[in-house]
Amino acid sequence: MPGEFPPQPLRQYALLADGERGAVVGPFGDITWMCAPRWDCGAVFSTLIGGRGAYAVTPVARHVWGGYYEEGSLVWRTRWVTEEGVFECREALAFPGDPHRAVILRRILASPARARLAVVLEPCADFGHGPLRALREQDGVWTGALGGLRMRWSGGARARPVGPEGHRLAMDLTVEAGAHHDLVLEISDRELPSRVPEASRCWAETEAAWERAVPRLENTIAPRDARQSYAVLRGLTARSGGMVAAATTSLPERAGEDRNYDYRYVWIRDLCFAGQAVAADGAHPLLDDAVRFTTARLLDDGPRLAPAYTADGCRVPGQHPLDLPGYPGGHDLVGNRGSEQFQLDVFGEALLLLAAAARHDRLDGDGRRAAETAAQAIARRWGEADSGMWELSPRHWAHSRLICAAGLRAMAHASPPAARTAGWTDLADALIADTAAHSLHPSGRWQRSPDDPGLDGALLLPPVRGALPADDPRTTATLRAYTQQLTDDYFAYRFRHDGRPLNEAEGAFLLCGFIVALAEHQQGHEVEAHRWFERNRAACGPAGLYSEEYDVRLRQMRGNLPQAFVHALMLECAVRLNGPWRTF
């Protein structure tokens, strides 16, 4: 099976997501990745990284592929132009998702031509270790089990078990012109409801839920893409309010360089980026979600706040391999070591998020207590070495201290009484003074740390967030030096790894590209800001999904998919570039 639906360039994949899990769909109509029942569980479809488990609806005739999202949703339409005509498969995860039951909706629309397809279904739990078993068909509905999960599939009455062990269901399907055919797959870790879902009702509820979930975002420079990014962020956000960093694991950032990570968890920093991006437009539900999750983690863990958690607020497991081939150029693993690090900047980002909520009058008593907890943690721990924004070896990273100063200033500005906030402002001043004493380059720009004179894209963010004025000489010197030394043709890189050309050491970092757009906008350089925005906005595939990095030379996406913080900064740029700069 792994060779039957071979891995494709990342730009050719789309995402179906319902908040509790995500499914990655390829150009052959193959669902090549989905964990069930939740984000960080074992995968039931894992051919993306060389595992087992497939669910494909593929044209029989020769064809070319395309697709698009219905605006403001994660309802995807795969569109095939075949030798026999044109037809589509409309697909989605029923939305909003149930934490215990995934429902995959697929509707083949044969209009205007007849559609002939081959359909295969072979879920396999726990990355391929739990094959489909106990298959039974009654009244055209198939039921079975895989690992500790239950399965039910309707619409496949003509399917039959195939293969030596009968773990796969397969059928040839013909849908006459003007008609449609529904397939509904349920996978659950609990007993399935007694009633089989009615497809039309599931579709109607999903359409209505997406319409309610995604705001219009009309006051932006790119309303359609802004709405799509909001939909992606909503699709990655669980009922807990936690937003996973990406739907996938192990997709390599650089082929053969051992840079593979599991991003199916909630990074506090990334969640705060998303909340701030949403708040730039208004008090939308994703702002409340981000505040709720962040507040709970701060109140629970205080100064021991971890960089990342599972979507239900638990600790992230340690990293270990799966014994699978992996996506080409990478290898397989689950878990993440980053959750064990101390990253000072997350406290600053949390304060920036809580301040954004306070400005919209969306911060309750728990949120204010969480802000006090974050400020106290900064006061207690800012002198310690930390792993920083890029999760590197512990140092006194300048960005970590400056972004904490930004968070303290923002919260002081947004949340009286003056007696308390005055202390926060004094602490912000102390952080900036100490960083200037130890991490100011002789040229007048910020440097990465006291013992690293290099530049870093992260250093552009604190002034954007209000740590320093836009006209502060250190702000302008850092932006000027960064764009001269760490960018190429309006693509940006995090930092210089070694003596190799930038694009040989790693891919362009799309997050940094959008941060440059904000920094240029803050300086009043509107043409440059829009150039940066448009260049990086285009670094995606037909589905409009962004990964973490972009290989400029090969024009290919790199890393896990979709990368939430890139969508967050794209959304924030679309909002902010539509009007004059505002710090708070």
Side-chain angles (χ1 to χ4, degrees), residues 239-293:
R239 291 188 181 187
S240 65
M243 178 198 70
V244 296
T248 58
T249 180
S250 305
L251 301 186
E253 296 176 3
R254 202 70 176 169
E257 293 196 6
D258 197 31
R259 289 169 56 191
N260 306 260
Y261 306 101
D262 186 353
Y263 283 176
R264 300 171 301 148
Y265 308 106
V266 181
W267 263 257
I268 297 297
R269 177 191 307 105
D270 300 20
L271 181 62
C272 292
F273 284 168
Q276 292 172 73
V278 168
D281 185 77
H284 301 304
L286 281 181
L287 171 61
D288 293 336
D289 289 335
V291 168
R292 178 160 47 91
F293 190 92

Side-chain angles (χ1 to χ4, degrees), residues 293-303 305 309 347 350 354 370-371 373-374:
F293 190 92
T294 303
T295 292
R297 303 289 76 75
L298 277 166
L299 294 180
D300 284 349
D301 293 342
L305 181 73
Y309 295 83
F347 294 104
L354 298 173
T373 298

Side-chain angles (χ1 to χ4, degrees), residues 5 13 16 35 158 231 257 292 344 357 414 442 533 547 568:
F5 301 106
Y13 288 108
L16 315 178
C35 298
R158 298 179 183 175
E257 293 196 6
R292 178 160 47 91
L344 176 67
F533 174 73
S547 61

Side-chain angles (χ1 to χ4, degrees), residues 15-17 68-77 90-93 95 203 206-216 224-235 543 545:
L15 173 76
L16 315 178
Y68 60 97
Y69 282 112
E70 296 180 8
E71 187 172 349
S73 77
L74 293 185
V75 176
W76 174 253
R77 285 181 178 253
R90 189 184 191 218
E91 39 204 336
L93 279 164
F95 179 74
W203 275 115
T206 296
E207 292 160 6
W210 277 115
E211 180 64 27
R212 293 191 300 270
V214 180
R216 300 307 303 174
R224 180 169 181 169
D225 283 358
R227 295 193 79 213
Q228 198 59 57
S229 279
Y230 190 105
V232 169
L233 296 174
R234 175 60 187 90
L545 301 180

Side-chain angles (χ1 to χ4, degrees), residues 67-353:
Y68 60 97
Y69 282 112
E70 296 180 8
E71 187 172 349
S73 77
L74 293 185
V75 176
W76 174 253
R77 285 181 178 253
T78 298
R79 186 173 188 267
W80 292 292
V81 180
T82 78
E83 295 173 314
E84 300 174 347
V86 180
F87 60 91
E88 295 183 341
C89 181
R90 189 184 191 218
E91 39 204 336
L93 279 164
F95 179 74
D98 181 321
H100 298 282
R101 181 172 66 113
V103 181
I104 301 175
L105 306 174
R106 310 189 89 169
R107 172 172 284 182
I108 295 93
L109 300 160
S111 176
R114 182 182 67 167
R116 293 193 305 124
L117 306 105
V119 181
V120 298
L121 173 63
E122 187 179 352
C124 201
D126 196 22
F127 303 101
H129 295 291
L132 188 59
R133 68 185 193 280
L135 273 172
R136 183 185 177 201
E137 186 266 336
Q138 184 176 3
D139 298 328
V141 177
W142 288 93
T143 56
L146 50 149
L149 304 174
R150 298 168 174 84
M151 181 218 76
R152 182 165 60 194
W153 188 42
S154 57
R158 298 179 183 175
R160 292 293 177 266
V162 298
E165 298 177 326
H167 295 324
R168 167 182 287 207
L169 292 168
M171 69 174 175
D172 293 326
L173 177 65
T174 299
V175 184
E176 296 300 328
H180 72 266
H181 184 90
D182 284 305
L183 300 169
V184 180
L185 174 65
E186 304 165 80
I187 296 177
S188 176
D189 65 352
R190 292 184 174 179
E191 195 71 34
L192 289 164
S194 58
R195 173 175 281 182
V196 175
E198 199 278 310
S200 294
R201 180 175 180 179
C202 289
W203 275 115
E205 291 173 349
T206 296
E207 292 160 6
W210 277 115
E211 180 64 27
R212 293 191 300 270
V214 180
R216 300 307 303 174
L217 299 174
E218 293 173 339
N219 295 319
T220 72
I221 62 171
R224 180 169 181 169
D225 283 358
R227 295 193 79 213
Q228 198 59 57
S229 279
Y230 190 105
V232 169
L233 296 174
R234 175 60 187 90
L236 296 174
T237 302
R239 291 188 181 187
S240 65
M243 178 198 70
V244 296
T248 58
T249 180
S250 305
L251 301 186
E253 296 176 3
R254 202 70 176 169
E257 293 196 6
D258 197 31
R259 289 169 56 191
N260 306 260
Y261 306 101
D262 186 353
Y263 283 176
R264 300 171 301 148
Y265 308 106
V266 181
W267 263 257
I268 297 297
R269 177 191 307 105
D270 300 20
L271 181 62
C272 292
F273 284 168
Q276 292 172 73
V278 168
D281 185 77
H284 301 304
L286 281 181
L287 171 61
D288 293 336
D289 289 335
V291 168
R292 178 160 47 91
F293 190 92
T294 303
T295 292
R297 303 289 76 75
L298 277 166
L299 294 180
D300 284 349
D301 293 342
R304 298 179 306 280
L305 181 73
Y309 295 83
T310 65
D312 55 2
C314 297
R315 290 282 170 157
V316 173
Q319 186 173 292
H320 62 276
L322 289 169
D323 195 26
L324 294 176
Y327 186 86
H331 59 80
D332 61 314
L333 58 82
V334 292
N336 197 292
R337 290 193 298 261
S339 64
E340 303 166 4
Q341 296 177 344
F342 167 50
Q343 297 174 18
L344 176 67
D345 68 298
V346 298
F347 294 104
E349 294 293 351
L351 284 174
L352 288 164
L353 169 68

